[in-house]
Amino acid sequence: MLPSEILKKIRRIEIRTKRLVNDLFSGEYHSTFKGQGMEFEEVRQYEPGDDIRLIDWNVTARTGYPHIKKFREERELSVVLLVDASSSGRFGTRERFKSETAAELGALLAFSAIKNNDKVGLIIFTDQIEKFVPPRKGRGHVLRLIREILFFEPKRTGTDVAGALEYLNRVVRRKSVVFLISDFLSEDFHRPLQVANRRHDLIAVKISDPRESRFDDVGLIELEDAETGEVYVIDTGSKEFRREYAARADEDLGRLEREFRLINLDFINIRTDQPYIKPLIAFFRSRERRL
């Protein structure tokens, strides 16, 4: 039995994200993500204006009247949330931790998927694979995924994006829509990223906190690296430090964006101090225009 405070938190996320799905995202999702192909439905008599390339010549010859094949979109998709649960996700200096933002995003995407009758699965990773939940349908399944993202206790603290992508490519055989949700504080994942992007419809979602790129002048502060445990004392009163810190963060983000563009990988940049609705809608509409 889950504690009441956990159930309340899950319920709050469900209410908030389902409202967004109903009001904003369901239509955007449906327009953006297409099915895996076209499925034959029936043969019907030709009508003026029909595409002559769809004429079924066997039925036409047998009946003496022109008939065409009618197809419908094979709509059902599999969506996989590939979620980074490393210790750096338990960081947040504004409204919520990065891990809480990841849970809300996951819920929003999952509810959008099941509203369109698609399946949703989950892979949680650190520097090892922590949890795999195969794609399924239904509200109860989505609530389980939210619970796992929010309250799963990983065994490890580091981040291995490459290992997570390699695991995805092994266990998810069917082409799927994959949202890789991470802060991307990892190295050497370019090659697995390329492979996964060819096999699946992969979207990178970077979640960051403003303190990871900028510091206010608050004097000497002590910081602990959540993944390594190392402790640093930094002087935020130094203009030179703040300038170099911001420049390095901008350079890292620019390098990541260039790497994604190089392989035509969609990228959504989410910050914990800003609403995620605007960048998500911008992504959906940009994708729809390219289709």
Side-chain angles (χ1 to χ4, degrees):
M1 180 72 77
L2 290 174
S4 60
E5 61 271 18
I6 292 180
L7 290 172
K8 287 178 182 176
K9 192 163 192 176
I10 294 172
R11 180 60 178 155
R12 281 198 300 271
I13 289 179
E14 179 187 17
I15 292 170
R16 173 174 167 77
T17 54
K18 285 189 77 172
R19 186 180 300 124
L20 288 171
V21 168
N22 291 331
D23 293 347
L24 293 172
F25 287 106
S26 180
E28 303 282 0
Y29 173 96
H30 184 89
S31 299
T32 300
F33 300 114
K34 304 296 184 182
Q36 299 302 307
M38 302 300 290
E39 188 176 68
F40 173 74
E41 187 172 24
E42 63 179 356
V43 173
R44 65 167 174 79
Q45 194 164 332
Y46 175 85
E47 296 176 359
D50 284 339
D51 189 341
I52 61 172
R53 291 173 298 181
L54 298 179
I55 291 177
D56 187 321
W57 294 107
N58 290 330
V59 176
T60 297
R62 189 167 64 249
T63 62
Y65 297 96
H67 282 71
I68 65 165
K69 295 178 181 178
K70 186 178 176 183
F71 296 86
R72 63 179 172 83
E73 182 186 358
E74 186 186 342
R75 172 63 235 180
E76 184 180 289
L77 297 172
S78 285
V79 176
V80 177
L81 306 176
L82 186 56
V83 180
D84 178 357
S86 60
S87 294
S88 59
R90 304 292 175 178
F91 179 76
T93 59
R94 296 297 174 91
E95 292 186 4
R96 57 176 70 89
F97 289 144
K98 291 190 288 184
S99 58
E100 293 175 313
T101 301
E104 278 206 25
L105 282 170
L108 182 64
L109 296 167
F111 279 121
S112 296
I114 64 168
K115 189 174 179 66
N116 282 274
N117 203 36
D118 295 335
K119 297 178 181 179
V120 192
L122 172 67
I123 299 173
I124 297 177
F125 70 95
T126 53
D127 53 9
Q128 67 178 25
I129 301 302
E130 300 274 357
K131 186 87 175 181
F132 173 48
V133 182
R136 289 180 56 192
K137 298 180 182 180
R139 171 180 174 270
H141 179 68
V142 170
L143 294 180
R144 178 194 173 185
L145 301 189
I146 298 170
R147 184 180 72 242
E148 295 287 8
I149 298 171
L150 266 180
F151 301 107
F152 182 80
E153 293 293 339
K155 297 181 178 66
R156 305 288 288 267
T157 60
T159 310
D160 183 3
V161 171
L165 290 166
E166 288 165 356
Y167 179 81
L168 167 78
N169 292 332
R170 287 198 305 272
V171 301
V172 181
R173 298 292 186 180
R174 182 186 181 192
K175 181 180 175 67
S176 302
V177 177
V178 179
F179 289 91
L180 171 54
I181 303 173
S182 176
D183 52 19
F184 292 94
L185 299 178
S186 182
E187 297 179 351
D188 301 326
F189 53 80
H190 181 77
R191 177 60 182 163
L193 198 68
Q194 282 183 305
V195 174
N197 194 40
R198 284 199 299 268
R199 293 186 180 178
H200 302 286
D201 186 352
L202 183 64
I203 300 101
V205 184
K206 177 176 169 57
I207 299 180
S208 61
D209 185 88
R211 287 294 173 267
E212 293 173 321
S213 59
R214 300 291 187 273
F215 271 111
D216 294 329
D217 180 359
V218 292
L220 291 173
I221 61 172
E222 190 176 88
L223 295 177
E224 179 182 346
D225 187 314
E227 296 193 6
T228 66
E230 291 186 67
V231 177
Y232 305 89
V233 176
I234 60 175
D235 180 11
T236 62
S238 166
K239 288 184 179 180
E240 183 180 358
F241 166 78
R242 295 199 306 272
R243 184 168 56 250
E244 289 180 356
Y245 185 85
R248 188 161 55 246
D250 291 344
E251 183 181 333
D252 290 343
L253 178 59
R255 183 166 52 247
L256 189 65
E257 289 178 329
R258 287 193 297 274
E259 185 168 349
F260 292 157
R261 281 198 301 270
L262 192 64
I263 61 172
N264 295 316
L265 177 67
D266 282 317
F267 173 53
I268 310 172
N269 193 15
I270 304 291
R271 288 170 49 121
T272 58
D273 63 329
Q274 297 174 356
Y276 53 75
I277 297 172
K278 188 174 180 179
L280 268 183
I281 289 179
F283 157 73
F284 282 128
R285 291 180 179 171
S286 173
R287 275 284 297 252
E288 188 176 357
R289 284 195 297 270
R290 299 200 308 267
L291 294 176

